[in-house]
Amino acid sequence: MKRKKLIVANWKMNMNLQQASILLHRLHERIQIHKDIEIVLAMSYLHLQPLSLQIDRRKFRQSAQNAYYDDHGPFTGEVSFSMLHDLVHYSLVGHSERRVKFGESLDDVRKKVSAAFRNDVLPILCIGEQKDEHLRQETKQVIHDQLSSALLDLTAEEVAEMVIAYEPVWAISNGTDYHGHDIATPDDAKEMAAYIRLQIESTFGKYAANSVRILYGASVNSENARAFLDADGVDGVLVGGASLNYHEFSGIVNAAYRSLHGLEA
Ligand code: 13P
């Protein structure tokens, strides 16, 4: 049996509530319920509660984009996983924009992954190398370090349940053509998915390595999604820019359906 596909939209810091509500309405109209495709919308804290009243849970699950690792206390301006616990199924953790622009360290990311599990939120752990690391061919070393540190406090059962998104930072938000220079290829995605599973197997065993869901993310759109979704070991995609456009995003869901059912693109 084919594995389910997981499609995650990362809306990032975009749209006021009314615009987000209109986008959700359009997605409801466009996207059918597919039992073998799980669709997750990662939205701002501000949108989570009101859109939870609008969302059709048979079609979509909600995710946060970040949260703080302590459960409560004097952390003005932060939101904890314990506050999100009733509202979301997932949270992104360690997105490259958090690591690079907000200085999140390996330690912060590790504590956030643990805090997510402590509060019954499944982490979608984002890992990926930056452009200079890519040019120095240090990708595997970077992935190894980010992964081993983030998973340090987890059990094999927890790792089996979580999601890991490989997002090469140099290829994020770079447009449409993966034949150009700054876009990773489906072969890169396949190679890194295999590498991530191998590393997980060596620490947590075969079951965790096989069960963990691995996504590819960086400039995925309705044109190139199929090739990434067909790549061996890739369970789905994490979509930024293209997830803000309902034609594009429903096209990506359609590509997942066609990939699962072996239909022509
Ligand atoms: P883009 O799809 O806009 O490249 O963003 C990728 C990303 O960062 C998703 O988390």
Side-chain angles (χ1 to χ4, degrees), residues 143-176:
I143 294 307
H144 176 273
D145 294 350
Q146 290 180 347
L147 200 57
S148 50
S149 147
L151 307 186
L152 201 64
D153 300 331
L154 302 187
T155 63
E157 290 68 30
E158 287 171 331
V159 174
E161 268 189 279
M162 69 184 291
V163 179
I164 294 173
Y166 170 60
E167 298 208 301
V169 181
W170 50 274
I172 290 180
S173 306
N174 274 342
T176 56

Side-chain angles (χ1 to χ4, degrees), residues 44-62:
S44 105
Y45 296 135
L46 202 61
H47 299 159
L48 283 172
Q49 177 84 56
L51 294 193
S52 76
L53 305 175
Q54 184 189 335
I55 208 160
D56 180 343
R57 285 168 214 283
R58 294 166 309 167
K59 290 189 184 172
F60 305 116
R61 284 177 158 160
Q62 285 177 287

Side-chain angles (χ1 to χ4, degrees), residues 8-12 42 92 95-97 126 165 167-169 171-175 183 216-221 237-244:
V8 183
N10 177 6
W11 289 352
K12 306 194 179 183
L92 303 184
H95 191 279
S96 62
E97 288 150 17
C126 304
E167 298 208 301
V169 181
I172 290 180
S173 306
N174 274 342
I183 303 281
Y216 174 77
S219 302
V220 173
N221 58 36
V237 286
L238 174 51
V239 187
S243 73
L244 297 170

